[in-house]
Amino acid sequence: MDIPRHVAIILDGNGRWAKARMMPRNYGHVKGAANVEVICRAADELGIKYLTVYLFSTENWRRNQDEVRALMNLFHSYTRTAIRQARENNMRCRVLGDPSALDATLQKNLRELVESSRDNTGLNFQLAINYGSRDEIVRAVRKVAADVGDGRISDPSQITEDMFASYLDTGDIPDPDLLIRTSGEQRLSNYLMWQLAYAELYFTQTPWPAFSKKDLELAIEAYNQRTRRFGGLKKGEEDREEH
Ligand code: IPE
Ligand code: IPE
Ligand code: MG
């Protein structure tokens, strides 16, 4: 089996999972956060090197205040758990997104998570929190513009795809090979739109709190059935030379 180097997940369906159990949406978020820990361990056991999960989008502020507040509280406790988990499991954590809109304590937890795990050599785990692709691209363009302004970039031809990618929040990690979205929706919802250009997309009906290691294995099996061409052709797909 070919294990994808980088798996990105849109963990969706917490609310619907809870509603189906006659429970409040926040119960789904609590179970969902606990499952992030489970799937991190599973990804590491399966030999995945990079795992990136979508925890909160730049659009999720549109939800009602109670839900946003509950999610932020959950992120506080989740980041404390993640700091411990990173230490125990040798995980290196990175944060994608704009932390400036998060409260000061959460920002501090996220900085601590990133800094305390910087030298770890196990699973690379990215938390996308207050993340949106469009926002990320605009922030990258601003950084490029600043470098043009102070002369670090002197000619437009210096701006290449690789160079621009290095300004994104994912600057030092490879693009995802496989995107998984749980709970039936088939859209990107502003997730990693630059980075997913050639990822294989996998959608499952399973809601996030119920997504297990077995489901991750099924996604990897499906990934192994795909033919990745990157715009080219695979050996044997070309017309045979006629002589
Ligand atoms: C995903 O679950 C978690 C977040 C977006 C924060 P949802 O909260 O989107 O759950 P559904 O999609 O409404 O069921
Ligand atoms: C995407 O899920 C964002 C996260 C998983 C954090 P949403 O539930 O917010 O997506 P939409 O609104 O259904 O597109
Ligand atoms: Mg949703």
Side-chain angles (χ1 to χ4, degrees):
M1 274 251 276
D2 176 16
I3 300 296
R5 178 163 58 159
H6 183 175
V7 175
I9 303 184
I10 301 176
L11 47 91
D12 199 13
N14 289 351
R16 280 166 282 172
W17 178 87
K19 283 289 153 206
R21 281 158 187 75
M22 316 293 251
M23 295 295 280
R25 292 177 55 84
N26 195 40
Y27 177 68
H29 294 316
V30 171
K31 291 289 182 188
N35 201 37
V36 172
E37 211 179 320
V38 172
I39 295 302
C40 264
R41 205 166 312 124
D44 196 26
E45 286 163 5
L46 291 169
I48 292 163
K49 298 282 180 251
Y50 295 84
L51 177 72
T52 303
V53 300
Y54 205 3
L55 296 178
F56 192 87
S57 75
T58 46
E59 287 72 35
N60 285 146
W61 299 105
R62 293 176 187 159
R63 297 187 179 192
N64 71 49
Q65 278 206 358
D66 285 350
E67 178 156 348
V68 170
R69 199 173 308 119
L71 281 166
M72 292 299 149
N73 285 337
L74 188 59
F75 295 146
H76 276 110
S77 54
Y78 174 71
T79 45
R80 298 314 307 173
T81 308
I83 290 168
R84 178 179 49 73
Q85 201 202 353
R87 190 173 52 235
E88 288 169 3
N89 300 340
N90 192 26
M91 257 164 45
R92 176 170 180 184
C93 299
R94 295 176 178 82
V95 175
L96 313 181
D98 177 6
S100 68
L102 306 172
D103 77 51
T105 315
L106 184 52
Q107 288 189 42
K108 187 180 131 301
N109 285 356
L110 290 168
R111 269 197 309 274
E112 187 181 333
L113 177 62
V114 171
E115 276 154 28
S116 67
S117 69
R118 196 176 294 280
D119 297 326
N120 291 350
T121 54
L123 179 73
N124 289 279
F125 178 52
Q126 288 66 240
L127 300 82
I129 178 163
N130 193 27
Y131 174 87
S133 254
R134 290 181 174 180
D135 177 66
E136 178 192 34
I137 290 170
V138 168
R139 285 186 289 104
V141 169
R142 286 194 193 124
K143 289 183 235 168
V144 171
D147 282 356
V148 171
D150 60 23
R152 267 197 291 270
I153 298 170
S154 52
D155 190 283
S157 68
Q158 286 173 257
I159 305 172
T160 62
E161 288 186 15
D162 285 346
M163 179 272 199
F164 185 73
S166 75
Y167 282 73
L168 296 170
D169 298 344
T170 48
D172 59 345
I173 64 170
D175 286 342
D177 301 293
L178 171 64
L179 169 81
I180 299 171
R181 183 166 186 152
T182 59
S183 210
E185 243 60 76
Q186 302 191 4
R187 55 176 170 258
L188 292 183
S189 302
N190 205 11
Y191 193 42
L192 301 172
M193 294 194 298
W194 171 287
Q195 297 87 341
L196 290 172
Y198 269 104
E200 296 299 325
L201 310 181
Y202 178 85
F203 301 101
T204 170
Q205 293 297 327
T206 308
W208 175 251
F211 188 86
S212 65
K213 183 178 184 184
K214 180 79 207 145
D215 293 306
L216 181 58
E217 286 168 352
L218 287 176
I220 295 172
E221 272 169 34
Y223 170 82
N224 274 266
Q225 303 304 312
R226 310 281 176 91
T227 306
R228 301 187 80 188
R229 296 190 186 81
F230 300 98
L233 293 171
K234 283 285 175 197
K235 262 206 165 51
E237 287 186 332
E238 297 101 336
D239 289 337
R240 229 177 287 140
E241 292 283 348
E242 305 287 346
H243 290 290

